[in-house]
Amino acid sequence: GNSGGPLVSSGGKVIGINTAIISGAQGLSFSVPIKTANWVLQELLMHGRVRRPWLGVYCQVLPLAPQYRRTAVECLRAHKNVVQVVGMEPDGPAARAGVEVGDLVALVGGKVVQSVDDIYRAMSKPEGGPATKPFPLMVVRNGRVLDLQVPFMERPQPHQQGKAGRRLRLTQDDK
């Protein structure tokens, strides 16, 4: 099949790596963008695994009703939803940066967030690749805007180490 093969533009440039192609669906396929594939390759070659940033918060998304947008802090006025911190890992990066339960997350790495997915995207795809150094986080607490610096911490590994949980070793002598 074509899974793992290149996705090529009409100009002959590789723009992605095919992950799944649905035959009989007029060429419908799913691909990993080439920038992501290149970043993953570099992570594997340099670290033997893909490092992912971790914030260490539990959040809920709440709609910001139009009548509250007028009185909201400037950085939240354009938001339709707000992301509220409802829990934290006690020694996680957010806790170390000063985030508190009840804070509203407005910006991560300078990017507007209105969902938990937005937070992951902002942490995983800043300019030049995922955050591996402290990154800015703007929160709103009791009507006050706080600019915090979150230390980079790698997402913890699962406690179970089965065959699938082993770290990739890029050597020929893996026996």
Side-chain angles (χ1 to χ4, degrees):
N2 292 318
S3 292
L7 175 63
V8 181
S9 72
S10 60
K13 184 176 179 184
V14 176
I15 59 172
I17 305 295
N18 292 317
T19 58
I21 295 177
I22 301 174
S23 58
Q26 298 179 350
L28 179 64
S29 65
F30 299 94
S31 306
V32 174
I34 197 65
K35 282 185 177 182
T36 302
N38 284 332
W39 173 77
V40 167
L41 177 62
Q42 290 303 311
E43 284 289 306
L44 292 173
L45 291 173
M46 293 174 65
H47 305 286
R49 68 189 190 293
V50 176
R51 300 172 304 153
R52 300 277 183 200
W54 176 57
L55 194 53
V57 294
Y58 305 101
C59 298
Q60 67 180 354
V61 177
L62 303 169
L64 185 58
Q67 65 266 28
Y68 295 118
R69 284 191 207 143
R70 284 178 277 130
T71 59
V73 176
E74 181 68 31
C75 66
L76 295 177
R77 284 196 184 129
H79 288 54
K80 291 181 181 174
N81 299 308
V82 293
V83 180
Q84 182 182 40
V85 177
V86 296
M88 274 189 293
E89 292 295 327
D91 199 30
R96 290 182 184 190
V99 175
E100 295 180 2
V101 171
D103 285 353
L104 303 177
V105 180
L107 300 171
V108 175
K111 295 185 176 145
V112 174
V113 295
Q114 295 188 67
S115 69
V116 175
D117 287 341
D118 288 347
I119 292 174
Y120 284 118
R121 271 191 290 278
M123 286 185 354
S124 297
K125 294 187 180 179
E127 294 302 316
T132 55
K133 56 186 176 186
F135 57 92
L137 178 76
M138 180 187 286
V139 298
V140 177
R141 181 182 303 150
N142 299 322
R144 289 185 34 233
V145 176
L146 301 171
D147 289 307
L148 307 171
Q149 284 294 314
V150 179
F152 169 77
M153 290 177 71
E154 192 173 336
R155 186 179 296 164
Q157 297 293 317
H159 293 292
Q160 292 181 320
Q161 283 291 99
K163 193 170 186 175
R166 285 189 0 205
R167 288 187 177 165
L168 174 66
R169 291 182 11 197
L170 296 172
T171 61
Q172 292 285 340
D173 60 356
D174 190 14
K175 294 181 168 76

